[in-house]
Structures are given as structure tokens and as C-alpha cells.
Amino acid sequence: MNIKSICCIGAGYVGGPTMSVIAQKNPHIKVTVVDVNADRIAAWNSEDLSQLPIFEPGLDKVVAEARGRNLFFSTEVDRAIDAAEMIFISVNTPTKTYGAGKGMAADLQYVELCARQIAKVSTSNKIVVEKSTLPVKTAEAIKDILDNTGNGIHFEILSNPEFLAEGTAIQDLETPDRVLIGGESTASGQKAIEVLKTIYAAWVPEDQIITTNLWSSELSKLTANAFLAQRVSSINALTELCEKTGANINEVANAIGTDSRIGPKFLKASVGFGGSCFQKDILNLVYICKSLGLNEAADYWEQVIIMNNHQRERFADQIVKALYGTVADKKITFFGWAFKKDTNDTRESAAIYIADKLIDEHANIQVYDPKVSALQMQSDLNYLNSRSESDNDSYLSSEKDPYKAAEGAHALAIITEWDEFQNYDWKKIYDSMSKPACVFDGRNLLNKSELEAIGFSYQGIGQ
Ligand code: NAD
Ligand code: UGA
């Protein structure tokens, strides 16, 4: 059976790019991406492709090709659900901020709402695909809701977690390491797997499409993120030791990463990982382990988060220490606010935590980021802390010109590894800063000896 129409609920960082590529590669399938956020949908529909709600290299070209042909963005959720043969659930699954499991478990209210809505409005059989990252066994709950509140029609549930990373989403979608599809072992479950497989097979070699049972698929997504984050925390756990001993973390990472069993990727020391998923997914994994009485496994994975929190705090402490123990009324410039380069996403960015800690010490933070708005920075900080919004406003500002942002600063902190920082006129920046001009390179992006030759006091991570 070949599918002719798809609906995706959730037009966010995953739903938008993923469906754009599916539509681009399958021009015969009508793909409608729906969202309750009308502003987001309007931005997806904007004529000016620089106004898409997500900055992702290459996304504009894909949208330009498919939008209006077989790719549509809409707020008409019910209509799109009923018209589709296959429905992807790609809504947010943040960490719970209330009730049982607060601060750890995944908040599944949006996923449950989707299931109820699908059940309510569907008038024909559907394949429902979990695209959101979900705790293992969620498919059971979704199926229960669909079967018990539906109109007696047949729903098949698949798990098809997404492995794209922001900043490289289009590349990751176009040439994925693998596509994972989990389904039930029943005949109809296997048939549904085949249907979804056909959609990906339009551009992904079949031997890279892995099929498993539902629970393996759900759990593999959580644990893949845990493994990746663990590598970042592992390398970051060595940075302090390098600083104390004269070893250099870049050299150590290179030396260990050339062992093909270890591999070179995800060994870049940093101010700490950010993003909407690593922390949330590990916390969720820890919560699941604890719920099953697996306390040692829970403690093991929690340590990845503890290390990450420590890395962010340590970075802020280093700045205060180097500026003679006080940053009160001093200007500290951040280059970068996004959680990594090539994205405008700031969720859980180390920048927010570091700024918060420095503002507690009454530092004035000025930020330059090529893709993040001042409004977004303020709202990130307001969300994190209990300071009044006007206090946050008075301590945090943003500047659109990096050279102006650096003027008069006592210290400059590289938070995001935007490529453009490497091409700046660092002599000009040095001349305009308060002395001693300190650079704290949270990404080991800049060349230590070149900066020191200019006169900077340079401190990288783990060097
Ligand atoms: P997001 O917050 O950017 O997007 C989710 C969207 O869903 C929002 O626009 C929201 O308005 C919409 N939504 C919520 N409930 C809805 C409803 N009932 N009806 C219609 N729309 C609704 O989130 P995201 O970053 O795209 O993540 C989505 C899921 O994918 C999460 O489970 C996440 O863990 C997972 N994931 C994210 C990434 C990533 O890089 N961001 C990668 C892989 C997996
Ligand atoms: C991550 C995974 O890489 C994706 O496979 C997954 O689909 C996604 O989470 C998800 O489930 O949301 P993402 O968070 O977008 O993707 O970006 P990453 O490239 O993984 O970076 C995460 C954080 O780790 C960033 O802050 C990055 O700067 C940091 N990082 C990464 C390091 O500090 N060092 C590294 O070597 C690699």
C-alpha cells in the first residue's frame, strides 16, 4: 500500500524540517504540517524564506521546492488529521515542571492531547507514527487512548524517532546514518512498517532502514542521546584535570579519538552541552530507571547531567576569579547565545546559565549572536530565574555589531562556536577592550598563541 497523504502534528524543529524533506523526496505524497501556534505556521508560510521560524542551513531551498506543491503548513489540525492516512506526532515532550516526576519525567500532555484529537476526528483507518522522543512503553498508552476513545476504526502505531541534530538537520535528514522504525509483530504491524519504509526508501538505502519492535525503538532514541551526551561529559570531565596538569584537552581528544574503537566525533570540550533534548532525555532515562527500582543505573546516567552543570558553573567561576574576584559593574561580552552554531535555538543553552550566574554577581552582560534576537535572550533569562524582568533587562543587553559588543568589555566569553568569530579582527577587538583584556573560550575555537601575541589573556577549556 502506498500512502497518498500525511499529516504531521507539530511544526517545530523536528516536524518542520523532517516533513519538508519527506515531501521533497516524495512529490506524490501530500504532506500537511499542522500546529496550534498560528504565528509559527504563518512564518512557515512566509514568502520571504529568511523568515522561516527555524534557521537551519539548506532548509529554505527544500521548502522553496516543495511548499505549495505537496507540502503545506496549516492551523487546521482536525481537517488535516482526518484527511491523512498516516499521522506523525511531532510535538514537544519537555521535562515535567509539576506533579509526580517534576524535573525529571517527560511531560506527555501534548502527546496525549494529540492521541485524543486523532481518536476524536478520525473517520478512516490510520497509521500513527511517534516522531517525538518518548519514554519506553508510550505507544501502549497511545494505542489505549486511540482504541478506547475512537470511532471503532483501526489504528496502527509505529515508533520512528528522529536523530537529526540542529544546525545540520537537512544534511542529517538527506543522508542519515540510519532510519529506525519500530512496530508490532502482528501482520498489520509489519505491514505498517513496510508502508513507512517505502516513504524513506525514496532516498535512504534500504539497508540503512532498521526495523525493531516498538519498545526497542522508543528506548534506542533515549539511549542514543544519553550515549552522545555521555561522551561530551566524559571529555569535559577531563578538562579540569588538563588545566591542573598542563595537558591540553585538544591534544588528548585527538590522541584518544584516533583509536577507531573510540572515534573522533563528540569529543569537543565545551562550556557544557545544551539543546532541548540531551538533558531532558537523560533526566527521563534516570526517571524511568528509578521508577523500575534500578537505582545504580539511574545514578550512573545522572552523573552525565551533574558533570554538565559543573562545567557551566566552573566557566562562570573562572571568569569571576580572573577578574580579581569581582565582576560587579564590569562589562562581560558574550559571543554567542545559541546552544550550538548554525541554529537560532537557545533552549538549555549554557549561555543562559552562565549569564545568570554572572548577573548574580552584578556583572553587565552584552551579547552578540548572529541569529538570536534580544527578545529571545531576555525571555530565556526570565524563564530561568526569579529576578524581576526589569532587573534582567538592566543586566543583559544585546548588540548587533560584534565589535561594538566588545567595546570596553573586561572579558569576552565565547559561548557558541559560530565560524565567523574566527574571522574577526581580533587586534581591533583587543584595542577597544578594558585591560587586561581576557578571552574565555568556552569552545576552544580561537588560536591561543595568536591571541596571546596580540596581548589577550586567553583561557580555553582544558588548556
Ligand atoms: P518544538 O517545541 O520546536 O515543536 C513542537 C511543536 O508542537 C510546537 O510548535 C507546538 O506548538 C506544537 N504542538 C504541541 N501540541 C500540539 C497539538 N496538540 N496540536 C498541534 N500542535 C501542537 O519541539 P521539537 O524541537 O520539534 O521537538 C519535538 C519532539 O522531537 C520532541 O519530543 C523532541 O524530544 C524530539 N526531537 C527533537 C530534536 C531536535 O533537534 N529539536 C531532534 C530529535 C527529536
Ligand atoms: C542531539 C543529537 O545529536 C541528535 O542525534 C538528536 O536527534 C537530538 O539531540 C535530539 O534528540 O534532539 P542536538 O541537540 O540538536 O542533537 O545537537 P548536538 O550536535 O548533539 O549538540 C548538543 C550539544 O552538545 C550542543 O550544545 C553542542 O555544542 C554540544 N557538544 C556536542 C559539545 O559540547 N561537544 C561535542 O563534541 C559535541
Side-chain angles (χ1 to χ4, degrees), residues 89-94 105-112 128-142 157-162 214-223 225 280-281 284-285 288:
I89 299 179
S90 190
V91 298
N92 36 331
T93 50
D107 189 344
L108 298 179
Q109 62 167 314
Y110 308 107
V111 172
E112 180 174 338
V128 176
V129 185
E130 298 174 343
K131 186 52 111 177
S132 297
T133 303
L134 297 167
V136 56
K137 285 286 183 186
T138 305
E140 207 162 64
I142 294 181
I157 317 283
L158 297 177
S159 160
N160 172 223
E162 184 48 58
L214 275 169
W215 321 129
S216 303
S217 174
E218 288 178 337
L219 187 59
S220 298
K221 173 62 198 175
L222 278 190
T223 48
N225 272 356
K280 125 177 127 61
D281 291 348
N284 189 9
L285 182 63
I288 293 169

Side-chain angles (χ1 to χ4, degrees), residues 9-16 34-37 40 54 77 89-94 110-111 113-114 117 131-134 161-166 221 225 276-277 280-281 339 345 347:
I9 310 178
Y13 283 86
V14 168
V34 293
D35 204 296
V36 283
N37 183 336
R40 218 168 201 187
I54 289 166
V77 181
I89 299 179
S90 190
V91 298
N92 36 331
T93 50
Y110 308 107
V111 172
L113 267 172
C114 288
Q117 203 158 1
K131 186 52 111 177
S132 297
T133 303
L134 297 167
E162 184 48 58
F163 294 103
L164 70 80
E166 289 176 30
K221 173 62 198 175
N225 272 356
S276 61
C277 294
K280 125 177 127 61
D281 291 348
F339 82 98
D345 195 350
R347 291 177 288 182

